[in-house]
Amino acid sequence: MLRVSSERIDAAEELRAFETLAAQAGGIVTFSGQVRKEAAGGIVKSLFLQAYSPMTEQGIEAAMTEANTRWSLDHTKVLHRTGAMLPGDTIVFVATAAKHRRAAFEAADFLMDYLKTEAVFWKKEDTGTSSHWIAPREDDYSDAARWTKKEKI
Amino acid sequence: MTKLLYFGRLSDITGISEETLELPSEIDSAGQLRIWLDRRFETNGALLEPTIRIAINSEITFDTASLAGAQEIAFMPPVGGG
């Protein structure tokens, strides 16, 4: 399941819904990304996320399909915000459910690396005194490169 | 008429996030459009950077790609969400 929208994400509520959906799974892993209060540029006032529909959704769908090819997953859920957000707001929510934990952990990690470096989004940070567009960090790219050769487990 | 989209920091550089215009008939590839727009906006090569990808009708393309049938052309700086 995928949703890219300006709608607020309630991670706790999403987890409860996912637990109901994946009641038969042995393990569930979730990741929530939140808007940082402080960044390199100073105190963050707001963050703006821009997407390009339907390219953004199609890319994430393809990454979710890839995750399902690599790992045996019962369910996968990706929620991503667009528009204006405040510090502490949930930007992204990823949940994976599998028979055993390793597949769920790795698939969630893989999906987050995709979202960080390849998903079609642009981020603008506003510190009150300045605003600037943020590109992925070097660590984000090296994290994503870990998945280039990986066998299904 | 062709719709042009400028994403991320490109909208700050061009001053607009989108526009619809009739492209000069001599421009027939994505690469030629890149050069023409860079001169038009006087962006000093910002649109020529290889990290700026071009999508024609929502498909990422190479600079050699033809603009025939292009209804929407997007200029995309490096992406990243989360």
Side-chain angles (χ1 to χ4, degrees), chain A residues 80-92:
Chain A
H80 205 295
R81 285 276 305 267
T82 55
M85 278 160 268
L86 298 172
D89 281 1
T90 301
I91 312 173
V92 61

Side-chain angles (χ1 to χ4, degrees), chain B residues 52-63:
Chain B
I52 307 294
R53 292 184 294 173
I54 299 175
I56 299 176
N57 301 339
S58 292
E59 292 279 339
I60 302 276
T61 57
F62 292 106
D63 275 19

Side-chain angles (χ1 to χ4, degrees), chain A residues 52, chain B residues 3-7 17-19 72-76:
Chain A
Y52 181 24
Chain B
K3 189 176 183 182
L4 303 180
L5 304 172
Y6 308 103
F7 282 107
S17 57
E18 63 173 81
E19 62 180 330
E72 186 173 278
I73 304 173
F75 286 81
M76 304 168 55

Side-chain angles (χ1 to χ4, degrees), chain A residues 14-35:
Chain A
E14 295 300 341
L15 170 58
R16 274 196 297 277
F18 194 73
E19 282 174 337
T20 306
L21 177 73
Q24 305 301 315
I28 287 174
V29 167
T30 67
F31 176 85
S32 310
Q34 306 190 120
V35 179

Side-chain angles (χ1 to χ4, degrees), chain A residues 87-100:
Chain A
D89 281 1
T90 301
I91 312 173
V92 61
F93 177 86
V94 168
T96 53
K99 192 173 181 185
H100 298 290

